[in-house]
Amino acid sequence: MDDSKEKARDQARKAAEQAEKNRRRQELQAKADQVRGKISKASSLISSFRSKQSEFDQAISQIEQKKNSALSSQIVSQVRVSKVFEGVIAEKQASELPKGIQAMDKNIKKARKVVEGIEDQIRQLNTYQDTQQDILSNIMAQIASI
């Protein structure tokens, strides 16, 4: 009888150990799922930031093209007929062009700062993702060791 009681205790102990292992495995799996969610969210944000960065790059390119077009335009310097409406407008355009070019340069500079800020955010998100990936690897190793 003592032998059967010993077997019952041994089975009960093994069942309790297995239940604890299952509980711990589920707990770690839940943590792993949370970390995967964080990695996925970071990936989504990186993708969104890259999209916005591309939009800014296109806008900068367009502003630079318009600036270069304005700087290379011969119309402003050629159309200067005194006391004729087109000549008056040409004079006004010629006097306003430097202000417009300065405004374009200022806007290009601001847009480039925004792009740099976006790139900083992307770098930080990549670092965050790497950290989360390390955490996930650690959790998966713990699960495998159970």
Side-chain angles (χ1 to χ4, degrees), residues 13-57:
R13 184 184 50 78
K14 286 181 182 179
E17 287 174 359
Q18 189 61 39
E20 178 59 23
K21 285 180 181 180
N22 288 339
R23 185 199 64 76
R24 180 73 177 137
R25 196 175 286 123
Q26 287 175 348
E27 179 183 293
L28 288 170
Q29 193 60 49
K31 285 182 181 181
D33 290 342
Q34 288 176 339
V35 172
R36 283 188 192 98
K38 290 176 182 180
I39 292 170
S40 177
K41 180 68 175 172
S43 290
S44 176
L45 288 170
I46 289 170
S47 177
S48 179
F49 275 130
R50 290 215 187 276
S51 174
K52 293 302 175 191
Q53 188 178 31
S54 177
E55 288 177 30
F56 271 96
D57 286 339

Side-chain angles (χ1 to χ4, degrees), residues 9 23 33 40 43 64 86 118 120 126 128 141 144 146:
R9 282 187 202 135
R23 185 199 64 76
D33 290 342
S40 177
S43 290
E64 286 176 335
E86 289 82 1
I118 291 171
D120 288 344
N126 281 328
Y128 175 78
I146 294 177

Side-chain angles (χ1 to χ4, degrees), residues 11-131:
Q11 287 177 345
R13 184 184 50 78
K14 286 181 182 179
E17 287 174 359
Q18 189 61 39
E20 178 59 23
K21 285 180 181 180
N22 288 339
R23 185 199 64 76
R24 180 73 177 137
R25 196 175 286 123
Q26 287 175 348
E27 179 183 293
L28 288 170
Q29 193 60 49
K31 285 182 181 181
D33 290 342
Q34 288 176 339
V35 172
R36 283 188 192 98
K38 290 176 182 180
I39 292 170
S40 177
K41 180 68 175 172
S43 290
S44 176
L45 288 170
I46 289 170
S47 177
S48 179
F49 275 130
R50 290 215 187 276
S51 174
K52 293 302 175 191
Q53 188 178 31
S54 177
E55 288 177 30
F56 271 96
D57 286 339
Q58 289 174 356
I60 290 168
S61 178
Q62 288 174 351
I63 293 170
E64 286 176 335
Q65 286 174 353
K66 288 179 182 182
K67 175 185 153 185
N68 291 336
S69 175
L71 287 173
S72 64
S73 174
Q74 296 300 314
I75 287 179
V76 173
S77 63
Q78 288 178 355
V79 182
R80 304 227 180 172
V81 180
S82 319
K83 299 184 181 177
V84 176
F85 178 73
E86 289 82 1
V88 173
I89 295 301
E91 290 290 332
K92 183 169 176 76
Q93 284 182 335
S95 69
E96 295 292 322
L97 184 62
K99 292 178 193 173
I101 297 301
Q102 285 177 338
M104 287 178 167
D105 285 339
K106 190 175 181 180
N107 288 337
I108 289 169
K109 189 174 181 178
K110 285 180 182 179
R112 284 193 174 131
K113 282 191 177 205
V114 171
V115 169
E116 288 173 15
I118 291 171
E119 190 58 41
D120 288 344
Q121 291 299 313
I122 290 170
R123 272 193 297 278
Q124 289 179 359
L125 282 167
N126 281 328
T127 300
Y128 175 78
Q129 248 185 335
D130 291 344
T131 301

